Amino acid sequence: MSKLQEGAIAERIAHIGDQFAISGDFLYGEELRNGHINTTYRACYRTDDGHVDRYILQRINDYVFKDPAQVMKNVEKVTRHISWKVLRRRKNAAGQTLTLYPARGGRNYINLPEEGGMWRCYNNIEGTHTYDVVENTRQAYQAGYAFGSFQELVSDMNPEDIRESIPDFHNTPKRFEALQKSAAADIMHRVASCKKELELIRSWSPQFSKLVDMQRSGELPTRITHNDTKINNVMLDEETDGAVCVIDLDTVMPGLSLYDFGDMVRTATCMASEDETDLSKVHMQMPFFESLAEGYLDATHDFLTPNEVNMLAFSGWLITTEIGMRFLTDYLDGDKYFRCEYAEHNLVRARNQLALAESIQSNIPRMQKYILKLIKSYAD
Ligand code: GN1
Ligand code: MG
């Protein structure tokens, strides 16, 4: 990450920052590249009393989020609700929630056509950092605890207040349909390079509707969920690695708690990144899963239903397969959705996720056994 003090990008960052209710002299900006979707900069300012204040400037990707203003309404409601709850509990709210800064015109966002669309500004949460891949079991525990606590914090919001920012976001059978359609169209002539992957996914497809079927029949409750619970969406204390705050609230909407837990299994139990090409390094590790499950259940065992608990292990396999399908679909469509660094990037990611899904699948009985042991320990 380089500090940009001058040049076109620095000017651009200073110009965007100048739209928001923040003060001080612009020192430098830097691009944060750990998301696949939005464009994110950190901007640093020298205040009159000599401090350095840092802010996050972010452009909402309007190819992915068709109605960015609606996304912002959701984010405003969620951040306000969390602040209210955290303040009521007399904890330090500032460190635990994202704060939006007003823009020119009085809204919490601004449309800048010359800068590609809708921008917003958050506080930079100081004294924290994120990990793109999990390194130890403490981080896995903290991620589970942080996203579990988030589910609890938003559990009393009115689901009708929150709109779906991306319809059918975690509807695995629909994601499979989309993949089949892209494979049939084959507009980039890429199907020949991923025949094996398509075959594997098709052989798994009878399992894809399990969770949405249980939701439809009322066996699983619809809750407000985060929907993007990657390990790098939790800010951990720089010194202690304790969880401070979860970020990336654009996909907070009504959903299933299981897709949140599943996405943590995907990203907090494997020490290889989504970009790893050496598939022998891509496997889930039971000690990470055990810590993750402990953290998550420490925060949620009071309110999860027995059906939710029963499907926790399965959910890790399901969402890993779903994300693998989404990368493969985007590869077949010509890389329009996920930011890619090279031509076969999406194919590499898809292969990586399918390898991880296979590894998770072979561990499901052990995972299940551990969850039941944990649940029993809360009852004792
Ligand atoms: C995207 O925001 P970011 O880049 O962390 C995607 C997630 C995927 C993830 C895969 C809105 O997340 O659903 O799980 O990539 N977000 C959206 O790494 O599609
Ligand atoms: Mg995201």
Side-chain angles (χ1 to χ4, degrees):
M1 226 164 3
S2 57
K3 292 182 176 174
L4 304 160
Q5 284 172 297
E6 43 197 58
I9 301 184
E11 261 175 46
R12 178 174 191 215
I13 298 174
H15 169 65
I16 297 161
D18 192 37
Q19 310 305 313
F20 292 92
I22 54 184
S23 60
D25 295 323
F26 179 77
L27 282 176
Y28 60 88
E30 48 198 347
E31 183 168 7
L32 308 181
R33 291 185 68 85
N34 45 12
H36 298 335
I37 307 289
N38 295 327
T39 305
T40 310
Y41 297 121
R42 187 188 279 133
C44 304
Y45 295 81
R46 168 101 47 216
T47 62
D48 288 347
D49 58 5
H51 283 98
V52 175
D53 281 346
R54 307 199 295 173
Y55 302 90
I56 299 294
L57 303 171
Q58 196 165 50
R59 184 180 76 84
I60 305 174
N61 178 328
D62 55 13
Y63 178 79
V64 168
F65 297 102
K66 303 294 182 209
D67 186 351
Q70 186 56 53
V71 169
M72 289 307 293
K73 280 192 193 142
N74 283 354
V75 173
E76 281 161 15
K77 284 182 183 153
V78 172
T79 49
R80 249 185 277 138
H81 183 82
I82 294 180
S83 294
W84 183 83
K85 260 183 116 162
V86 173
L87 280 168
R88 296 278 298 184
R89 290 174 180 173
R90 299 174 193 213
K91 285 189 192 158
N92 170 13
Q96 304 202 25
T97 58
L98 290 170
T99 303
L100 287 161
Y101 287 85
R104 283 180 204 277
R107 295 206 161 94
N108 281 331
Y109 54 86
I110 187 163
N111 188 25
L112 298 175
E114 74 283 11
E115 297 299 347
M118 199 86 101
W119 287 82
R120 64 184 165 203
C121 175
Y122 284 123
N123 54 322
N124 183 68
I125 301 183
E126 297 298 338
T128 63
H129 57 186
T130 57
Y131 293 91
D132 285 333
V133 282
V134 67
E135 292 169 356
N136 57 53
T137 55
R138 174 166 167 74
Q139 292 161 3
Y141 177 94
Q142 292 297 321
Y145 190 78
F147 285 115
S149 304
F150 178 85
Q151 283 182 349
E152 192 278 325
L153 283 167
V154 294
S155 60
D156 55 340
M157 286 189 76
N158 181 355
E160 283 170 16
D161 275 356
I162 302 287
R163 296 277 175 78
E164 269 196 310
S165 48
I166 302 178
D168 295 316
F169 189 56
H170 288 311
N171 184 321
T172 315
K174 288 216 169 150
R175 294 292 188 180
F176 176 57
E177 262 172 45
L179 173 66
Q180 294 275 69
K181 242 170 113 180
S182 299
D186 196 17
I187 58 166
M188 305 296 292
H189 308 290
R190 287 178 165 180
V191 163
S193 56
C194 57
K195 284 226 150 82
K196 251 177 50 195
E197 290 72 19
L198 285 166
E199 214 171 281
L200 178 66
I201 291 168
R202 286 177 185 137
S203 75
W204 284 344
S205 65
Q207 308 268 350
F208 292 165
S209 65
K210 226 174 196 171
L211 298 188
V212 289
D213 285 349
M214 288 177 80
Q215 180 179 25
R216 212 169 294 126
S217 66
E219 290 163 89
L220 289 174
T222 302
R223 302 182 184 278
I224 303 264
T225 50
H226 183 283
N227 296 305
D228 192 2
T229 57
K230 272 164 94 158
I231 183 86
N232 66 6
N233 277 336
V234 50
M235 312 291 299
L236 301 178
D237 186 287
E238 231 159 42
E239 277 168 25
T240 65
D241 262 352
V244 174
C245 177
V246 310
I247 56 170
D248 197 357
L249 307 176
D250 299 336
T251 49
V252 175
M253 55 185 154
L256 293 175
S257 61
L258 287 160
Y259 279 107
D260 275 5
F261 183 74
D263 211 30
M264 289 185 248
V265 176
R266 182 177 80 82
T267 60
T269 70
C270 172
M271 290 176 84
S273 80
E274 286 170 352
D275 293 342
E276 180 59 63
T277 49
D278 178 356
L279 298 186
S280 69
K281 292 188 184 148
V282 179
H283 45 87
M284 77 151 282
Q285 303 202 25
M286 269 311 283
F288 285 78
F289 176 80
E290 290 171 6
S291 298
L292 172 74
E294 236 171 90
Y296 181 68
L297 286 173
D298 276 352
T300 58
H301 70 272
D302 279 345
F303 63 86
L304 288 189
T305 67
N307 281 339
E308 286 176 301
V309 170
N310 247 329
M311 300 309 286
L312 287 172
F314 172 82
S315 72
W317 170 80
L318 186 67
I319 198 166
T320 306
T321 306
E322 179 188 290
I323 306 287
M325 289 199 280
R326 290 177 57 198
F327 285 139
L328 197 60
T329 307
D330 199 33
Y331 171 68
L332 293 174
D333 291 348
D335 309 315
K336 297 196 192 101
Y337 190 100
F338 296 104
R339 189 189 352 258
C340 285
E341 308 291 342
Y342 55 93
E344 302 220 310
H345 202 164
N346 270 321
L347 179 60
V348 161
R349 289 168 174 152
R351 288 187 173 143
N352 170 306
Q353 295 296 290
L354 294 177
L356 181 58
E358 281 183 313
S359 165
I360 296 174
Q361 191 179 42
S362 65
N363 277 293
I364 287 181
R366 288 162 78 199
M367 294 156 78
Q368 190 77 1
K369 207 165 141 197
Y370 190 76
I371 297 276
L372 293 179
K373 189 173 124 194
L374 272 182
I375 284 294
K376 200 166 163 287
S377 73
Y378 293 115
D380 289 344

